[in-house]
Amino acid sequence: MAGTLYLCATPIGNLEDITLRVLRTLKEVDLIAAEDTRHSIKLLNHFEINTPMTSYHEYNKIDKGHYLTGLLKEGKNIALITDAGTPGISDPGEELVKMAYEEGIAVTSLPGPSAVVTALTLSGLPTRRFAFEAFLPSDKKERQNILKGLMTETRTIIIYEAPHRLLRTLKELTENLGDRKATVIRELTKKHETAFLTSLAEAVRYYEEEEPKGECVLVIDGLKAEELAEKEREKYADLSLNDHMKLYLDKGMDKKEAMKAVAADRGVSKREIYQQLLSE
């Protein structure tokens, strides 16, 4: 009978945040797969856990993933942990989960610390809907594409950032998104945890004077629906009404459908479009 893969959430700073269930599981499994064994050994030693450990990270996730699924198929139970937080969130754990399912292996997730959720609830910004981007990519083109996409994002945005890249990222966000409300959170759950609700532009000014310290989470207000509608209307501001109609007529719409689409684009009634067309 195959074993089970346990996704075990570990503290993101404060060791007291680990759950009793995770502690028990880490002691009972046959093997712990850790993102960085040198980092995780400190956690295991602190809680007097002597379970064998092996590395599983971005650079060995395929080969080691096959090795781990092989052990699971033999009946071994394995716990997966990352350096901090819940496995599978912006880390190679998602690949191991996928492999396990493909092999018919049982997977269960033990809830616990998660920086994205902790930061969101601490931010003072809307929490019902959010978009998690983790760390922005280092590739310039890919990074710009994501920033461009975020320009019209209406959900609260959450981004991770290292202190040495924080100022650059804040400047890029300000240039692309405008001066949105934002909460800068650093050192989550640790002794020097700070969170301040500000704006992107104000955060840039602050960190131009103060050196960023500690891992950061940026929580940024989404674009308001009325602002998004205004941006959509701006796209057609320089387009004549006849040319705007032609865009839809050329797509095969009849005149009635085209007038309805143009009215929606311009934020006015279909009657108003009809009256304007009659007067031209």
Side-chain angles (χ1 to χ4, degrees):
M1 183 176 176
T4 299
L5 174 63
Y6 295 89
L7 310 178
C8 295
T10 55
I12 56 178
N14 193 320
L15 292 180
E16 294 180 358
D17 290 336
I18 199 163
T19 70
L20 294 175
R21 185 182 175 202
V22 166
L23 287 176
R24 176 178 57 79
T25 301
L26 292 178
K27 292 177 180 178
E28 292 179 351
V29 294
D30 299 293
L31 182 67
I32 297 172
E35 190 173 8
D36 185 339
T37 56
R38 295 167 300 179
H39 176 85
S40 295
I41 193 63
K42 300 173 186 176
L43 176 73
L44 300 191
N45 287 342
H46 181 83
F47 290 107
E48 298 180 349
I49 298 170
N50 300 311
T51 306
M53 189 166 45
T54 188
S55 66
Y56 175 80
H57 48 71
E58 182 65 29
Y59 303 103
N60 72 355
K61 64 183 180 182
I62 302 301
D63 291 340
K64 183 57 73 74
H66 288 303
Y67 169 74
L68 293 173
T69 52
L71 293 179
L72 286 160
K73 288 168 70 175
E74 292 173 7
K76 302 293 184 183
N77 291 317
I78 298 175
L80 177 67
I81 61 176
T82 64
D83 289 349
T86 301
I89 302 296
S90 189
D91 68 53
E94 63 178 316
E95 187 66 37
L96 184 57
V97 172
K98 178 183 175 183
M99 287 183 172
Y101 278 123
E102 289 174 347
E103 295 293 340
I105 295 164
V107 180
T108 187
S109 183
L110 282 59
S114 172
V116 56
V117 173
T118 306
L120 178 64
T121 58
L122 188 59
S123 69
L125 295 174
T127 60
R128 190 176 71 85
R129 301 169 63 246
F130 64 94
F132 175 53
E133 286 293 339
F135 289 93
L136 293 176
S138 55
D139 179 78
K140 188 174 181 180
K141 185 176 180 180
E142 186 181 358
R143 186 182 182 93
Q144 191 54 49
N145 284 338
I146 288 177
L147 288 169
K148 184 178 179 181
L150 292 177
M151 291 171 65
T152 54
E153 177 59 69
T154 57
R155 295 170 294 178
T156 300
I157 301 163
I158 304 173
I159 294 172
Y160 292 163
E161 194 50 278
H164 64 282
R165 294 191 298 263
L166 179 63
L167 183 57
R168 170 199 169 190
T169 296
L170 286 169
K171 287 180 177 178
E172 289 178 329
L173 288 167
T174 306
E175 290 168 3
N176 287 273
L177 276 60
D179 192 17
R180 305 261 191 101
K181 287 173 63 177
T183 303
V184 180
I185 303 169
R186 54 178 294 276
E187 295 291 83
L188 263 177
T189 77
K190 299 177 184 177
K191 182 179 180 180
H192 299 293
E193 174 186 282
T194 60
F196 63 99
L197 180 59
T198 180
S199 72
L200 289 173
E202 184 59 36
V204 168
R205 288 191 287 271
Y206 178 82
Y207 284 111
E208 284 178 334
E209 300 294 330
E210 299 288 335
E211 181 184 359
K213 294 179 181 179
E215 296 297 318
C216 298
V217 184
L218 304 175
V219 186
I220 305 156
D221 205 12
L223 189 68
K224 297 295 180 283
E226 56 271 21
E227 294 174 324
L228 180 60
E230 180 59 32
K231 280 183 176 289
E232 288 297 311
R233 288 193 290 271
E234 287 174 359
K235 292 195 295 188
Y236 304 102
D238 297 327
L239 197 64
S240 72
L241 187 55
N242 282 319
D243 285 342
H244 199 164
M245 283 287 294
K246 189 173 184 299
L247 285 177
Y248 291 109
L249 293 171
D250 287 348
K251 291 180 180 180
M253 287 187 181
D254 60 33
K255 193 170 183 179
K256 187 176 180 180
E257 290 175 322
M259 281 194 293
K260 185 177 180 180
V262 169
D265 288 344
R266 293 178 177 243
V268 298
S269 68
K270 189 172 72 172
R271 178 184 293 275
E272 187 173 334
I273 296 298
Y274 179 70
Q275 295 292 341
Q276 289 183 44
L277 287 171
L278 285 179
S279 64
E280 289 188 4

